[in-house]
Structure formats: structure tokens, C-alpha cells
Amino acid sequence: MFDFLDSGQYDLLGAFWVTVQLTLYSAIGSLIWGTLLAGMRVSPVPLMRVFGTAYVNLVRNTPLTVIILACSLGLNQTLGITLGGGDFKDIGFRLAVLGLVAYTGTFVCEALRSGINTVPVGQAEAARALGLSFTQVLTLVVLPQAFRTVVAPLANVLIALTKNTTVAAAISAAEAAYLMKSMIENESDALLAVFAVFALGFVLLTLPTGLLLGWVSKRVAVKR
């Protein structure tokens, strides 16, 4: 049933390595972008609050497939933006990272904003009384506590991001789902085996992540 794994025709490990890279780069970008969005949403500047709120509500409620295709069709094919990529698959990979960051950053923002709301208001007021600016209060007092509070929700976002990388196959990024599509076409007599292999692969990627970050969440939890 699993003879196709020994044929050497499919680079299974290479495909999952691309998935890991997609997840890693997108997670870093989403964490940065989501933190900026959270800062905008609690900012005293009305324009920044409006932008942050509008962006989160619009992008979070847009299907990821639409965002990924918009990055490919809109940025690359219409505007000619390649993000420094060379060949077609390299460009697809970078555009997929961009789309995943744009989408996942909204969920990071909302998770982080919920953490910000758990920080006692008195701490922020005391910091402002000491003469700290809004940026200093946010980065030195509020965000460090907020991040410790939302490790578990961010773990769920990371797990969802890992599974969402399969959407990158829509623009030919050579990750696991792209290879699975090819294997389904060529190995029609072993469909269950193909599905089992890729399901197991994603379980091996996401399960340790959830267990590790769950442990970290308990270790760094803020005692109130």
C-alpha cells in the first residue's frame, strides 16, 4: 500500500520542509504584524485605532484562499511584484508568506489584545504618572505581561497557521499539500495511504508544538 514511498519519485521530506519554512517565516512575520496591529487598536490616536479595527475586521473575515490568490494575481501578475524571488515557485513561496502574515496577523492581534485587557489599568496609569510615553508604557509594562498571558492562544494560532499553509498550494508553492495533490493524481489506487501519510505528517508537526507551548504557558503564566 505504501510502495510509492520507496519509489524515489516524491520528495516527501522536502515538501514538509517547505511547510516548516512557510510556518516559521509566517509565524515570525505574523507575530510582528499582529503586535503592531494590537498597538494600533489600543492607541490613543484615533486614526490608528480606526485603521487597526478596520483591517482586522476586514482581513479576518476574508477567506485565506482569496487573500493568497490576491497576492499572486494582484501583486505578481498584475503589478509585477516578485518580492525578490527568482523562479515561479520561489515567487509563489514568498507571496504565500506575505498572504499568511497578512491573514494570521489579525488573529495574533486579537489574542494579544485580549492579553492587554488582562493587565490592570492601574499599572498603565502609574507608568504614565512617572512620565512614560504611550509607546514606553506599551512596550515596557503592558506587552511583556500580555504575551505571558496569551501563550496558549498564540499556540492555537500557530497550529492553525501550520495547517493553513496548505492553501499555498493554490499558487504552486511546493509545500506538502502541493505534493499531495500530485500524488493523488498519480497514485489513484492508494488514496487512503496518501491521505494517511500527510495526515500523520501534519500531526507530527502540530502535536509537539501544542505540547511545548502548553508547557511554556504554564511556566510563564502571570500570577494574579
Side-chain angles (χ1 to χ4, degrees):
M1 180 179 290
F2 295 95
D3 293 341
F4 57 88
L5 295 177
D6 298 325
S7 65
Q9 182 180 354
Y10 306 108
D11 186 9
L12 191 62
L13 292 179
F16 272 104
W17 173 238
V18 174
T19 294
V20 171
Q21 290 178 302
L22 266 177
T23 302
L24 179 61
Y25 294 142
S26 300
I28 294 173
S30 298
L31 188 61
I32 296 171
W33 180 226
T35 303
L36 292 175
L37 285 172
M40 292 180 190
R41 295 209 64 182
V42 300
S43 170
V45 181
L47 183 61
M48 296 181 70
R49 288 202 307 272
V50 169
F51 172 80
T53 301
Y55 179 91
V56 169
N57 288 326
L58 177 64
V59 175
R60 187 178 56 171
N61 292 291
T62 302
L64 177 57
T65 304
V66 173
I67 295 175
I68 295 291
L69 289 176
C71 289
S72 178
L73 300 177
L75 297 180
N76 180 237
Q77 297 186 26
T78 303
L79 301 178
I81 297 175
T82 63
L83 299 179
D87 57 20
F88 181 72
K89 289 188 177 180
D90 191 27
I91 295 172
F93 177 89
R94 299 185 183 207
L95 291 172
V97 170
L98 178 63
L100 288 167
V101 168
Y103 180 76
T104 310
T106 62
F107 293 92
V108 172
C109 168
E110 291 302 275
L112 192 53
R113 192 165 67 95
S114 68
I116 291 174
N117 291 334
T118 65
V119 179
V121 178
Q123 294 192 20
E125 292 176 345
R128 284 196 294 269
L130 293 174
L132 298 182
S133 65
F134 168 76
T135 302
Q136 290 174 319
V137 172
L138 191 64
T139 56
L140 299 178
V141 178
V142 177
L143 283 180
Q145 297 182 69
F147 272 113
R148 292 174 63 183
T149 304
V150 298
V151 172
L154 289 179
N156 293 332
V157 173
L158 179 59
I159 290 172
L161 170 62
T162 305
K163 293 183 287 187
N164 285 342
T165 56
T166 57
V167 181
I171 57 174
S172 300
E175 44 76 61
Y178 186 78
L179 178 63
M180 184 177 71
K181 177 183 175 182
S182 175
M183 293 175 68
I184 289 174
E185 293 174 352
N186 299 331
E187 308 293 338
S188 58
D189 57 335
L191 291 182
L192 290 179
V194 172
F195 287 135
V197 167
F198 283 91
L200 177 61
F202 276 98
V203 168
L204 292 177
L205 288 179
T206 57
L207 186 58
T209 300
L211 293 175
L212 175 62
L213 292 181
W215 175 80
V216 171
S217 175
K218 294 178 181 179
R219 294 282 295 179
V220 304
V222 178
K223 309 298 182 189
R224 300 204 187 277

